[in-house]
Amino acid sequence: MQDFAAEISDAMLLILQGDAELWAIVLLSLRVSLLAVLVSAVIGMPLGAALAVGRFPGRRAVIVLLNALMGLPPVVVGLLVYLMLSRSGPLGVLELLYTPTAMIIAQVVLVSPIIAALTRQVVEMLAEEYSEQLRSLGVSRLASVPVLLWDARLALITALLAGFGRAIAEVGAVIIVGGNINHVTRVMTTTIALETSKGNLALALALGVILIGIAVAVNALVSALSLRAEQEGLTHA
Amino acid sequence: MRDLALEPLAGLEVRDIRIGRNGGTLLNVPHLMLDGPGPTLILGPNGAGKSLLLRCLHGLIAPDVGQVLQDGMPLGARQKAQQAMVFQQPVLLRRSVAGNLDFVLRRQGLNRTARRARIETLLQEGGLTAKARQSARSLSGGEAQRLAILRALATGPEILFLDEPTSALDPAATQTIERMVLHASAQGVRIVMVTHDIGQARRLAADVVMMQGGRVVEHGPASEVLDTPRSQAAQLYLAGGLII
């Protein structure tokens, strides 16, 4: 018990003293996950909006598939991205394996379906409400996409935060494609896994506290935005 | 800008339109000509096909057969661009009051200065100047409907369709909406409005279209249709009888 208290005390000291190694890991985690969410938003939002307003054969099947992809197992994604980026893989020539870029790619594969599926839900609900009005104003189906995305902005930010939550807390995929290399690809989650196994609980605990802090902050923001979106008559429930 | 008040109103003609679902007839109008001088009010009980007819006239619903003509021409993109519609429940964009007007003015290609001036004029007309920056979703029912009408008028329509715009409003808010409708009519905009309210038809209509069971049972000057209805359905409806 005394040891545990001492580890927590050491962990707090690491955070408060601004330990360089600890904050470098935190910053790398944030950089990787934020970039992954940004790329996922560029892919997922137009895709989700197109699915919401588009009408084509097999649309329902695509939506079911997209929803299923939200629950992709991270280790499987890690394995697939690893195979793509490995020396003998189709993208091996890019030499991206064990780099932050590889981790971003893996997180994009995990987060894009989440953002696309949530965007589809939100935009479809709004499109239903706006449909006749926009047609009356002469707005074509294609031209309605940016209108719907803009008017659903609060709910879409919530979708982005949900994606960020998934990315920052992810460990299975990034440890496979990143390799957990010190000062290169070591992020919060992979460091926690490694340091715990080595018995260095202070650093693991410090990162755990920061990770939980980020998760709480993200959820508080999601909650506040959801409330605001509800007041605006728009939730993605 | 064209002075619509000096030009004859755009005319609408219905030629044998029919809409059916599941073996039943929802709308069956062999012929209807709306070319009179003033507001046309469409009256009738629930399920009479009033809103369906309005949507056909505006091109939101294509009839199974038949066609709608505007000034002798079939409804195309050009004709639809000269029309606007206000719905029973105003659908306002999740933007500010001014942002809702700016949306349609921007689509007309007006520059920032012209848009600002036009928005200011429209807001004054609708008594919404003080609420310009407020979220449109926070407006009261009457204010929201006023904004919906202003936004429709901002498109510069020759024909304005209104689908029971005052059905959920109190008398004061209804009076304001009716003033706006009459003002638009005086400016040369053809008004085609659906209502349940016989009193409203008396206050606004130059001509009345009476509908029942998807058919037009009577169409003529408001004084004739409302005071001396020929059809039994119109007589019963105007007498306040239950039409089932």
Side-chain angles (χ1 to χ4, degrees), chain B residues 58-97:
Chain B
H58 189 33
L60 288 178
I61 292 176
D64 298 338
V65 291
Q67 61 177 349
V68 174
L69 305 177
Q70 181 175 320
D71 288 334
M73 300 294 290
L75 276 190
R78 188 169 161 271
Q79 284 72 28
K80 286 180 192 172
Q82 293 165 345
Q83 303 179 346
M85 182 156 171
V86 173
F87 296 87
Q88 189 172 4
Q89 293 293 330
V91 182
L92 299 176
L93 302 179
R94 285 162 173 80
R95 302 166 192 215
S96 68
V97 169

Short mmCIF file of all heavy atoms in Angstrom, two decimals, chain B residues 58-97:
data_model
loop_
_atom_site.label_atom_id
_atom_site.label_comp_id
_atom_site.label_asym_id
_atom_site.label_seq_id
_atom_site.Cartn_x
_atom_site.Cartn_y
_atom_site.Cartn_z
N HIS B 58 -46.21 23.86 -56.88
CA HIS B 58 -44.86 24.36 -56.63
C HIS B 58 -43.79 23.42 -57.18
O HIS B 58 -42.60 23.72 -57.13
CB HIS B 58 -44.68 24.54 -55.11
CG HIS B 58 -43.42 25.24 -54.73
ND1 HIS B 58 -42.81 26.22 -55.49
CD2 HIS B 58 -42.62 25.12 -53.62
CE1 HIS B 58 -41.71 26.64 -54.89
NE2 HIS B 58 -41.58 25.99 -53.76
N GLY B 59 -44.22 22.28 -57.68
CA GLY B 59 -43.26 21.34 -58.26
C GLY B 59 -42.52 20.49 -57.25
O GLY B 59 -41.54 19.83 -57.58
N LEU B 60 -42.98 20.47 -55.99
CA LEU B 60 -42.32 19.63 -54.99
C LEU B 60 -42.75 18.18 -55.15
O LEU B 60 -42.03 17.26 -54.76
CB LEU B 60 -42.66 20.10 -53.57
CG LEU B 60 -42.02 21.42 -53.12
CD1 LEU B 60 -42.49 21.79 -51.72
CD2 LEU B 60 -40.50 21.32 -53.13
N ILE B 61 -43.96 17.98 -55.68
CA ILE B 61 -44.44 16.63 -55.95
C ILE B 61 -44.86 16.58 -57.42
O ILE B 61 -45.60 17.47 -57.88
CB ILE B 61 -45.64 16.28 -55.04
CG1 ILE B 61 -45.19 16.17 -53.58
CG2 ILE B 61 -46.32 14.99 -55.50
CD1 ILE B 61 -46.30 15.91 -52.60
N ALA B 62 -44.38 15.57 -58.12
CA ALA B 62 -44.77 15.42 -59.52
C ALA B 62 -46.04 14.57 -59.59
O ALA B 62 -46.09 13.50 -58.97
CB ALA B 62 -43.66 14.76 -60.30
N PRO B 63 -47.07 15.03 -60.29
CA PRO B 63 -48.29 14.21 -60.39
C PRO B 63 -48.04 12.95 -61.22
O PRO B 63 -47.12 12.92 -62.04
CB PRO B 63 -49.28 15.15 -61.09
CG PRO B 63 -48.44 16.14 -61.81
CD PRO B 63 -47.17 16.29 -61.05
N ASP B 64 -48.87 11.93 -60.97
CA ASP B 64 -48.73 10.69 -61.76
C ASP B 64 -49.00 10.99 -63.24
O ASP B 64 -48.32 10.47 -64.12
CB ASP B 64 -49.73 9.62 -61.26
CG ASP B 64 -49.45 9.24 -59.81
OD1 ASP B 64 -48.31 9.46 -59.36
OD2 ASP B 64 -50.37 8.72 -59.14
N VAL B 65 -50.03 11.77 -63.46
CA VAL B 65 -50.32 12.23 -64.84
C VAL B 65 -50.69 13.69 -64.77
O VAL B 65 -51.00 14.23 -63.72
CB VAL B 65 -51.50 11.44 -65.48
CG1 VAL B 65 -51.12 10.01 -65.76
CG2 VAL B 65 -52.74 11.50 -64.62
N GLY B 66 -50.71 14.32 -65.95
CA GLY B 66 -51.11 15.72 -66.04
C GLY B 66 -49.94 16.67 -65.80
O GLY B 66 -48.82 16.23 -65.54
N GLN B 67 -50.24 17.95 -65.94
CA GLN B 67 -49.17 18.91 -65.73
C GLN B 67 -49.67 20.25 -65.21
O GLN B 67 -50.85 20.56 -65.29
CB GLN B 67 -48.37 19.11 -67.02
CG GLN B 67 -49.20 19.66 -68.17
CD GLN B 67 -48.34 19.90 -69.41
OE1 GLN B 67 -47.11 19.86 -69.36
NE2 GLN B 67 -48.99 20.17 -70.53
N VAL B 68 -48.72 20.98 -64.65
CA VAL B 68 -49.00 22.33 -64.17
C VAL B 68 -48.28 23.30 -65.10
O VAL B 68 -47.12 23.09 -65.45
CB VAL B 68 -48.48 22.50 -62.72
CG1 VAL B 68 -48.62 23.95 -62.27
CG2 VAL B 68 -49.21 21.57 -61.77
N LEU B 69 -48.99 24.34 -65.52
CA LEU B 69 -48.38 25.34 -66.38
C LEU B 69 -48.31 26.67 -65.65
O LEU B 69 -49.23 27.03 -64.90
CB LEU B 69 -49.22 25.52 -67.66
CG LEU B 69 -49.50 24.28 -68.50
CD1 LEU B 69 -50.40 24.63 -69.68
CD2 LEU B 69 -48.20 23.66 -69.01
N GLN B 70 -47.23 27.36 -65.88
CA GLN B 70 -47.11 28.72 -65.33
C GLN B 70 -46.94 29.67 -66.51
O GLN B 70 -45.99 29.53 -67.28
CB GLN B 70 -45.90 28.81 -64.39
CG GLN B 70 -45.75 30.18 -63.76
CD GLN B 70 -44.62 30.22 -62.75
OE1 GLN B 70 -44.44 29.29 -61.98
NE2 GLN B 70 -43.86 31.30 -62.76
N ASP B 71 -47.86 30.59 -66.65
CA ASP B 71 -47.89 31.49 -67.81
C ASP B 71 -47.79 30.69 -69.11
O ASP B 71 -47.05 31.04 -70.04
CB ASP B 71 -46.74 32.51 -67.73
CG ASP B 71 -47.01 33.55 -66.65
OD1 ASP B 71 -48.20 33.78 -66.33
OD2 ASP B 71 -46.05 34.11 -66.12
N GLY B 72 -48.49 29.56 -69.14
CA GLY B 72 -48.56 28.74 -70.35
C GLY B 72 -47.39 27.80 -70.55
O GLY B 72 -47.37 27.00 -71.49
N MET B 73 -46.40 27.87 -69.66
CA MET B 73 -45.21 27.02 -69.82
C MET B 73 -45.19 25.94 -68.73
O MET B 73 -45.53 26.22 -67.57
CB MET B 73 -43.92 27.86 -69.68
CG MET B 73 -43.79 28.97 -70.69
SD MET B 73 -43.60 28.32 -72.36
CE MET B 73 -41.97 27.62 -72.25
N PRO B 74 -44.78 24.71 -69.09
CA PRO B 74 -44.67 23.67 -68.06
C PRO B 74 -43.67 24.09 -66.98
O PRO B 74 -42.72 24.83 -67.26
CB PRO B 74 -44.13 22.46 -68.84
CG PRO B 74 -44.38 22.76 -70.27
CD PRO B 74 -44.38 24.25 -70.42
N LEU B 75 -43.90 23.58 -65.77
CA LEU B 75 -43.00 23.93 -64.66
C LEU B 75 -41.60 23.42 -64.92
O LEU B 75 -41.36 22.22 -64.98
CB LEU B 75 -43.51 23.31 -63.35
CG LEU B 75 -44.58 24.03 -62.55
CD1 LEU B 75 -44.74 23.35 -61.19
CD2 LEU B 75 -44.29 25.50 -62.37
N GLY B 76 -40.67 24.33 -65.06
CA GLY B 76 -39.26 23.96 -65.21
C GLY B 76 -38.47 24.73 -64.18
O GLY B 76 -39.04 25.40 -63.31
N ALA B 77 -37.14 24.65 -64.29
CA ALA B 77 -36.29 25.32 -63.31
C ALA B 77 -36.56 26.82 -63.28
O ALA B 77 -36.59 27.44 -62.22
CB ALA B 77 -34.83 25.04 -63.65
N ARG B 78 -36.79 27.39 -64.47
CA ARG B 78 -37.01 28.85 -64.55
C ARG B 78 -38.29 29.24 -63.83
O ARG B 78 -38.33 30.21 -63.08
CB ARG B 78 -37.07 29.26 -66.02
CG ARG B 78 -37.09 30.75 -66.22
CD ARG B 78 -36.88 31.13 -67.68
NE ARG B 78 -37.36 32.49 -67.89
CZ ARG B 78 -38.61 32.77 -68.22
NH1 ARG B 78 -39.48 31.80 -68.40
NH2 ARG B 78 -38.98 34.03 -68.39
N GLN B 79 -39.35 28.44 -64.06
CA GLN B 79 -40.63 28.73 -63.43
C GLN B 79 -40.54 28.54 -61.91
O GLN B 79 -41.03 29.37 -61.15
CB GLN B 79 -41.73 27.82 -63.99
CG GLN B 79 -42.23 28.18 -65.38
CD GLN B 79 -41.21 27.87 -66.47
OE1 GLN B 79 -40.39 26.98 -66.32
NE2 GLN B 79 -41.24 28.62 -67.57
N LYS B 80 -39.87 27.45 -61.50
CA LYS B 80 -39.77 27.18 -60.06
C LYS B 80 -38.98 28.28 -59.34
O LYS B 80 -39.23 28.58 -58.18
CB LYS B 80 -39.11 25.82 -59.82
CG LYS B 80 -40.04 24.65 -60.14
CD LYS B 80 -39.34 23.33 -59.88
CE LYS B 80 -40.12 22.18 -60.46
NZ LYS B 80 -39.42 20.90 -60.41
N ALA B 81 -38.02 28.85 -60.06
CA ALA B 81 -37.22 29.92 -59.46
C ALA B 81 -38.06 31.17 -59.23
O ALA B 81 -37.66 32.06 -58.47
CB ALA B 81 -36.04 30.23 -60.36
N GLN B 82 -39.21 31.24 -59.91
CA GLN B 82 -40.08 32.41 -59.73
C GLN B 82 -41.14 32.15 -58.66
O GLN B 82 -42.03 32.96 -58.46
CB GLN B 82 -40.77 32.74 -61.06
CG GLN B 82 -39.78 33.20 -62.12
CD GLN B 82 -40.38 33.18 -63.52
OE1 GLN B 82 -41.42 32.58 -63.76
NE2 GLN B 82 -39.71 33.84 -64.44
N GLN B 83 -41.03 31.01 -58.01
CA GLN B 83 -41.99 30.66 -56.96
C GLN B 83 -41.29 30.53 -55.60
O GLN B 83 -40.09 30.29 -55.55
CB GLN B 83 -42.64 29.30 -57.27
CG GLN B 83 -43.32 29.20 -58.61
CD GLN B 83 -43.91 27.81 -58.82
OE1 GLN B 83 -43.59 26.87 -58.09
NE2 GLN B 83 -44.78 27.69 -59.80
N ALA B 84 -42.07 30.69 -54.56
CA ALA B 84 -41.54 30.44 -53.21
C ALA B 84 -42.66 29.84 -52.38
O ALA B 84 -43.84 29.97 -52.74
CB ALA B 84 -41.04 31.72 -52.57
N MET B 85 -42.28 29.15 -51.31
CA MET B 85 -43.31 28.52 -50.49
C MET B 85 -43.01 28.67 -49.00
O MET B 85 -41.86 28.60 -48.58
CB MET B 85 -43.41 27.03 -50.85
CG MET B 85 -44.50 26.30 -50.08
SD MET B 85 -45.06 24.82 -50.96
CE MET B 85 -46.09 24.07 -49.73
N VAL B 86 -44.08 28.89 -48.26
CA VAL B 86 -43.99 28.96 -46.80
C VAL B 86 -44.78 27.77 -46.25
O VAL B 86 -45.93 27.57 -46.64
CB VAL B 86 -44.56 30.29 -46.28
CG1 VAL B 86 -44.63 30.29 -44.76
CG2 VAL B 86 -43.73 31.46 -46.79
N PHE B 87 -44.15 27.03 -45.36
CA PHE B 87 -44.76 25.80 -44.87
C PHE B 87 -45.50 26.03 -43.55
O PHE B 87 -45.28 27.03 -42.86
CB PHE B 87 -43.68 24.72 -44.68
CG PHE B 87 -43.03 24.34 -45.98
CD1 PHE B 87 -41.93 25.05 -46.46
CD2 PHE B 87 -43.52 23.29 -46.74
CE1 PHE B 87 -41.33 24.72 -47.66
CE2 PHE B 87 -42.92 22.95 -47.94
CZ PHE B 87 -41.83 23.67 -48.41
N GLN B 88 -46.34 25.05 -43.23
CA GLN B 88 -47.15 25.15 -42.01
C GLN B 88 -46.23 25.31 -40.78
O GLN B 88 -46.43 26.17 -39.95
CB GLN B 88 -48.00 23.89 -41.86
CG GLN B 88 -49.03 23.96 -40.76
CD GLN B 88 -49.97 22.76 -40.80
OE1 GLN B 88 -49.82 21.85 -41.61
NE2 GLN B 88 -50.95 22.75 -39.94
N GLN B 89 -45.22 24.45 -40.70
CA GLN B 89 -44.20 24.58 -39.66
C GLN B 89 -42.99 25.24 -40.31
O GLN B 89 -42.36 24.62 -41.16
CB GLN B 89 -43.78 23.20 -39.13
CG GLN B 89 -44.86 22.45 -38.37
CD GLN B 89 -45.20 23.13 -37.06
OE1 GLN B 89 -44.36 23.77 -36.45
NE2 GLN B 89 -46.45 23.01 -36.63
N PRO B 90 -42.68 26.47 -39.93
CA PRO B 90 -41.55 27.13 -40.60
C PRO B 90 -40.24 26.34 -40.42
O PRO B 90 -39.93 25.94 -39.30
CB PRO B 90 -41.47 28.50 -39.92
CG PRO B 90 -42.29 28.39 -38.69
CD PRO B 90 -43.28 27.30 -38.90
N VAL B 91 -39.56 26.11 -41.51
CA VAL B 91 -38.28 25.40 -41.44
C VAL B 91 -37.18 26.45 -41.53
O VAL B 91 -36.88 26.95 -42.62
CB VAL B 91 -38.15 24.39 -42.60
CG1 VAL B 91 -36.83 23.63 -42.49
CG2 VAL B 91 -39.31 23.42 -42.59
N LEU B 92 -36.62 26.78 -40.38
CA LEU B 92 -35.58 27.81 -40.36
C LEU B 92 -34.21 27.17 -40.24
O LEU B 92 -34.03 26.19 -39.51
CB LEU B 92 -35.82 28.77 -39.19
CG LEU B 92 -37.16 29.51 -39.24
CD1 LEU B 92 -37.36 30.36 -37.99
CD2 LEU B 92 -37.26 30.38 -40.48
N LEU B 93 -33.26 27.74 -40.96
CA LEU B 93 -31.90 27.22 -40.89
C LEU B 93 -31.33 27.51 -39.51
O LEU B 93 -31.71 28.50 -38.87
CB LEU B 93 -31.03 27.87 -41.96
CG LEU B 93 -31.51 27.71 -43.41
CD1 LEU B 93 -30.57 28.42 -44.36
CD2 LEU B 93 -31.60 26.24 -43.77
N ARG B 94 -30.40 26.67 -39.06
CA ARG B 94 -29.81 26.87 -37.73
C ARG B 94 -28.75 27.95 -37.82
O ARG B 94 -27.55 27.70 -37.69
CB ARG B 94 -29.26 25.53 -37.23
CG ARG B 94 -30.37 24.61 -36.78
CD ARG B 94 -29.95 23.18 -36.70
NE ARG B 94 -30.97 22.34 -36.11
CZ ARG B 94 -32.03 21.88 -36.77
NH1 ARG B 94 -32.22 22.21 -38.03
NH2 ARG B 94 -32.92 21.12 -36.16
N ARG B 95 -29.23 29.14 -38.06
CA ARG B 95 -28.38 30.32 -38.18
C ARG B 95 -29.12 31.48 -37.52
O ARG B 95 -30.22 31.29 -37.03
CB ARG B 95 -28.11 30.65 -39.65
CG ARG B 95 -27.48 29.48 -40.37
CD ARG B 95 -27.50 29.63 -41.86
NE ARG B 95 -27.13 28.31 -42.42
CZ ARG B 95 -26.44 28.14 -43.51
NH1 ARG B 95 -26.05 29.17 -44.21
NH2 ARG B 95 -26.14 26.92 -43.92
N SER B 96 -28.54 32.65 -37.59
CA SER B 96 -29.22 33.80 -37.02
C SER B 96 -30.41 34.18 -37.90
O SER B 96 -30.56 33.67 -39.03
CB SER B 96 -28.25 34.97 -36.92
OG SER B 96 -27.92 35.42 -38.22
N VAL B 97 -31.23 35.10 -37.39
CA VAL B 97 -32.37 35.59 -38.17
C VAL B 97 -31.85 36.21 -39.48
O VAL B 97 -32.32 35.86 -40.58
CB VAL B 97 -33.15 36.64 -37.33
CG1 VAL B 97 -34.17 37.37 -38.17
CG2 VAL B 97 -33.81 35.95 -36.14
#
